[in-house]
Amino acid sequence: MKKTILTFASAVLLLTTAANANSDVNQNEVVSQSSFVAYDVSSFCKAIMQGDLETVKRMIELGENINKKSMGMTPAMFASRYNKAEILKLLISNGANLKLKSDKGFTAKKYAELSNAKEALAVLEAAQGS
C-alpha cells in the first residue's frame, strides 16, 4: 500500500512539475513575442541606405514621396546619416524639405553631424547657404 501511495504521489508531483514548466515556457513565449517590436524601413529608405542611386531615381520618377517619414526619419535624414551625398543632392533637387525634424527632434543636418558624414554635411551646408 505504501508503494502505491508513493508511486501515485510521485506521478502527481511529476505531472504538476511538467505542467508548471510548460506554463512557464508559454508565459516566456508570450512575453518575448509581445515585447518584440518589428521596425520596417520603407523600400525607398532602404535603397537610400544602400546607396542605390538608380533605384532611388526610379522611385522618385514613379512618384515616391520625398518627405515621407520611415521610422520617424525622412529620406534626406537617411541619406545624411549614411553619408550618401549623391542621393542627398538628388533628394534636394527634387524638393526634399531639410527643415523637417525626425521623431527624435533632429534635422538631416544634425544626423550628418552625429554620424560624422562629412560629404553629406557639405551638401547640406551648400543647400542651406551656410
Side-chain angles (χ1 to χ4, degrees), residues 41-128:
V41 179
S42 72
S43 298
F44 188 51
C45 292
K46 283 180 188 176
I48 292 169
M49 289 170 28
Q50 294 170 350
D52 190 345
L53 183 61
E54 293 306 313
T55 300
V56 173
K57 282 181 185 177
R58 184 72 179 127
M59 292 179 84
I60 291 171
E61 290 170 5
L62 293 171
E64 188 68 40
N65 183 342
I66 297 292
N67 294 306
K68 184 178 180 185
K69 289 183 179 180
S70 176
M71 290 182 51
M73 294 170 46
T74 65
M77 292 171 193
F78 278 98
S80 298
R81 181 177 179 193
Y82 292 98
N83 203 26
K84 307 300 181 188
E86 289 302 313
I87 292 175
L88 188 54
K89 288 178 190 176
L90 177 67
L91 294 171
I92 292 168
S93 68
N94 281 281
N97 183 347
L98 301 177
K99 294 181 181 180
L100 292 176
K101 292 188 177 186
S102 70
D103 290 355
K104 292 183 179 182
F106 300 144
T107 62
K109 186 175 179 181
K110 185 65 176 179
Y111 278 108
E113 290 169 352
L114 291 171
S115 300
N116 198 24
K118 292 178 181 166
E119 292 86 6
L121 190 55
V123 169
L124 291 166
E125 288 175 348
Q128 295 175 335

